[in-house]
Coordinates of all heavy atoms in Angstrom, one line a residue:
H276 N 4.7 24.0 53.9 CA 5.3 25.0 54.7 C 4.5 25.2 56.1 O 4.2 26.3 56.5 CB 5.3 26.3 54.0 CG 5.9 26.3 52.6 ND1 7.3 26.0 52.4 CD2 5.4 26.4 51.4 CE1 7.5 25.9 51.1 NE2 6.4 26.2 50.5
V277 N 4.3 24.0 56.7 CA 3.8 24.1 58.1 C 4.6 23.1 58.9 O 5.4 22.3 58.4 CB 2.3 23.6 58.1 CG1 1.4 24.6 57.3 CG2 2.1 22.2 57.7
S278 N 4.4 23.1 60.2 CA 5.1 22.2 61.1 C 4.6 20.8 60.9 O 3.5 20.6 60.4 CB 5.0 22.6 62.6 OG 3.6 22.4 63.0
R279 N 5.4 19.8 61.4 CA 5.0 18.4 61.3 C 3.8 18.2 62.1 O 2.9 17.4 61.7 CB 6.1 17.5 61.7 CG 7.3 17.5 60.8 CD 8.5 16.7 61.3 NE 8.2 15.3 61.6 CZ 9.0 14.4 62.1 NH1 10.2 14.8 62.5 NH2 8.6 13.2 62.3
A280 N 3.7 18.8 63.3 CA 2.5 18.6 64.2 C 1.3 19.2 63.5 O 0.2 18.6 63.6 CB 2.8 19.3 65.5
N281 N 1.4 20.3 62.8 CA 0.3 20.9 62.1 C -0.2 20.0 61.0 O -1.4 19.8 60.8 CB 0.7 22.3 61.6 CG -0.5 23.1 61.1 OD1 -1.5 22.6 60.6 ND2 -0.4 24.4 61.1
A282 N 0.8 19.5 60.2 CA 0.4 18.6 59.1 C -0.2 17.4 59.6 O -1.2 16.9 59.0 CB 1.7 18.3 58.3
Y283 N 0.3 16.8 60.7 CA -0.3 15.6 61.3 C -1.7 15.9 61.7 O -2.7 15.0 61.5 CB 0.6 15.1 62.5 CG 0.1 13.9 63.1 CD1 0.4 12.6 62.6 CD2 -0.7 13.9 64.3 CE1 0.0 11.4 63.2 CE2 -1.1 12.7 64.9 CZ -0.8 11.5 64.3 OH -1.2 10.4 64.9
A284 N -2.0 17.0 62.4 CA -3.3 17.3 62.9 C -4.3 17.5 61.8 O -5.4 17.1 61.8 CB -3.2 18.5 63.8
R285 N -3.8 18.2 60.7 CA -4.7 18.4 59.6 C -5.1 17.1 58.9 O -6.2 16.9 58.5 CB -4.0 19.4 58.6 CG -4.0 20.8 59.0 CD -3.1 21.7 58.1 NE -3.1 23.1 58.4 CZ -4.0 24.0 58.0 NH1 -4.9 23.6 57.1 NH2 -3.9 25.2 58.3
I286 N -4.1 16.2 58.7 CA -4.4 15.0 58.0 C -5.4 14.1 58.9 O -6.4 13.6 58.3 CB -3.1 14.2 57.7 CG1 -2.3 14.9 56.7 CG2 -3.5 12.7 57.3 CD1 -0.9 14.3 56.5
N287 N -5.2 14.1 60.2 CA -6.1 13.4 61.1 C -7.5 14.0 61.0 O -8.5 13.3 60.9 CB -5.6 13.5 62.5 CG -4.7 12.3 62.9 OD1 -4.5 11.5 62.0 ND2 -4.1 12.4 64.0
R288 N -7.6 15.4 60.9 CA -8.9 16.0 60.8 C -9.6 15.7 59.5 O -10.8 15.4 59.4 CB -8.8 17.5 60.9 CG -10.1 18.3 60.8 CD -10.0 19.7 61.2 NE -8.9 20.4 60.4 CZ -9.1 20.9 59.2 NH1 -10.3 20.7 58.6 NH2 -8.2 21.5 58.5
L289 N -8.8 15.6 58.4 CA -9.4 15.3 57.1 C -9.9 13.8 57.1 O -10.9 13.5 56.4 CB -8.3 15.5 56.0 CG -7.9 16.9 55.7 CD1 -6.7 16.9 54.8 CD2 -9.1 17.7 55.1
V290 N -9.2 12.9 57.8 CA -9.7 11.5 57.9 C -11.0 11.5 58.8 O -12.0 10.8 58.4 CB -8.6 10.7 58.5 CG1 -9.2 9.3 58.8 CG2 -7.4 10.6 57.5
E291 N -11.0 12.2 59.9 CA -12.1 12.1 60.8 C -13.4 12.7 60.2 O -14.5 12.3 60.4 CB -11.8 12.9 62.1 CG -10.7 12.2 63.0 CD -10.3 13.1 64.1 OE1 -10.7 14.3 64.2 OE2 -9.4 12.6 64.9
D292 N -13.2 13.8 59.4 CA -14.3 14.4 58.7 C -14.8 13.6 57.5 O -15.8 14.0 56.9 CB -13.9 15.8 58.3 CG -13.8 16.8 59.4 OD1 -14.1 16.4 60.6 OD2 -13.4 18.0 59.2
G293 N -14.1 12.6 57.1 CA -14.5 11.8 56.0 C -14.1 12.3 54.6 O -14.5 11.9 53.6
V294 N -13.2 13.4 54.7 CA -12.7 13.9 53.4 C -11.8 12.9 52.8 O -11.8 12.6 51.6 CB -12.0 15.3 53.7 CG1 -11.4 15.8 52.4 CG2 -13.0 16.3 54.3
I295 N -10.8 12.4 53.6 CA -10.0 11.3 53.2 C -10.6 10.0 53.6 O -10.8 9.7 54.8 CB -8.6 11.4 53.8 CG1 -7.9 12.7 53.3 CG2 -7.7 10.2 53.4 CD1 -6.5 13.0 53.9
R296 N -11.0 9.2 52.6 CA -11.7 7.9 52.9 C -10.8 6.7 53.0 O -11.2 5.6 53.4 CB -12.8 7.7 51.9 CG -13.8 8.7 51.8 CD -15.0 8.3 50.9 NE -14.5 8.2 49.5 CZ -15.3 7.8 48.5 NH1 -16.6 7.5 48.8 NH2 -14.9 7.8 47.3
G297 N -9.5 6.9 52.7 CA -8.5 5.8 52.8 C -7.3 6.1 51.9 O -7.3 7.1 51.2
F298 N -6.3 5.3 52.1 CA -5.1 5.4 51.3 C -4.9 4.2 50.5 O -5.0 3.1 51.1 CB -3.9 5.6 52.3 CG -4.0 6.9 53.1 CD1 -4.7 6.9 54.3 CD2 -3.5 8.1 52.7 CE1 -4.8 8.0 55.1 CE2 -3.6 9.2 53.5 CZ -4.3 9.2 54.7
G299 N -4.6 4.3 49.3 CA -4.4 3.1 48.4 C -3.4 3.3 47.3 O -2.8 4.4 47.2
A300 N -3.4 2.3 46.4 CA -2.4 2.4 45.3 C -3.2 2.4 44.0 O -4.3 1.8 43.9 CB -1.5 1.2 45.3
R301 N -2.7 3.2 43.0 CA -3.3 3.2 41.7 C -2.7 2.0 40.9 O -1.5 1.9 40.8 CB -3.0 4.5 41.0 CG -3.7 5.7 41.6 CD -3.9 6.8 40.7 NE -2.6 7.3 40.1 CZ -1.8 8.2 40.7 NH1 -2.2 8.7 41.9 NH2 -0.7 8.6 40.2
V302 N -3.5 1.1 40.4 CA -3.1 -0.2 39.9 C -3.2 -0.2 38.4 O -4.2 0.3 37.8 CB -3.9 -1.3 40.5 CG1 -3.5 -2.7 39.9 CG2 -3.7 -1.4 42.0
D303 N -2.2 -0.7 37.7 CA -2.3 -1.0 36.3 C -2.9 -2.4 36.2 O -2.3 -3.4 36.4 CB -0.9 -1.0 35.6 CG -1.0 -1.2 34.1 OD1 -1.8 -2.1 33.7 OD2 -0.2 -0.5 33.4
H304 N -4.2 -2.4 35.9 CA -5.0 -3.7 36.0 C -4.5 -4.7 35.0 O -4.5 -5.9 35.3 CB -6.5 -3.4 35.7 CG -7.1 -2.5 36.8 ND1 -7.4 -3.1 38.1 CD2 -7.4 -1.2 36.9 CE1 -7.9 -2.1 38.8 NE2 -7.9 -1.0 38.2
E305 N -4.1 -4.3 33.8 CA -3.6 -5.2 32.8 C -2.3 -5.9 33.3 O -2.2 -7.1 33.2 CB -3.4 -4.5 31.5 CG -3.0 -5.5 30.3 CD -3.0 -4.8 29.0 OE1 -3.3 -3.6 28.9 OE2 -2.8 -5.5 28.0
R306 N -1.4 -5.1 33.8 CA -0.2 -5.7 34.3 C -0.4 -6.6 35.6 O 0.4 -7.4 35.9 CB 0.9 -4.6 34.6 CG 1.4 -3.9 33.3 CD 2.4 -2.9 33.7 NE 3.7 -3.6 34.1 CZ 4.6 -4.1 33.4 NH1 4.5 -4.0 32.0 NH2 5.7 -4.6 33.9
A307 N -1.5 -6.3 36.3 CA -1.9 -7.1 37.5 C -2.7 -8.3 37.1 O -3.2 -9.0 38.0 CB -2.7 -6.2 38.4
G308 N -2.8 -8.6 35.8 CA -3.5 -9.9 35.4 C -4.9 -9.7 35.2 O -5.7 -10.7 35.1
Q309 N -5.4 -8.5 35.1 CA -6.8 -8.3 34.8 C -6.9 -7.6 33.4 O -7.1 -6.4 33.3 CB -7.5 -7.4 35.9 CG -7.5 -8.1 37.3 CD -8.1 -7.2 38.3 OE1 -7.6 -6.1 38.5 NE2 -9.0 -7.7 39.1
G310 N -6.8 -8.4 32.4 CA -6.7 -7.9 31.0 C -8.0 -7.4 30.4 O -8.0 -6.8 29.3

Side-chain angles (χ1 to χ4, degrees):
H276 309 293
V277 298
S278 68
R279 291 173 60 185
N281 191 331
Y283 182 83
R285 285 174 178 268
I286 293 173
N287 271 355
R288 177 170 56 80
L289 292 169
V290 172
E291 291 171 359
D292 287 357
V294 177
I295 295 177
R296 297 188 297 177
F298 299 87
R301 295 201 302 273
V302 176
D303 184 318
H304 295 283
E305 187 171 359
R306 294 183 66 85
Q309 295 177 310

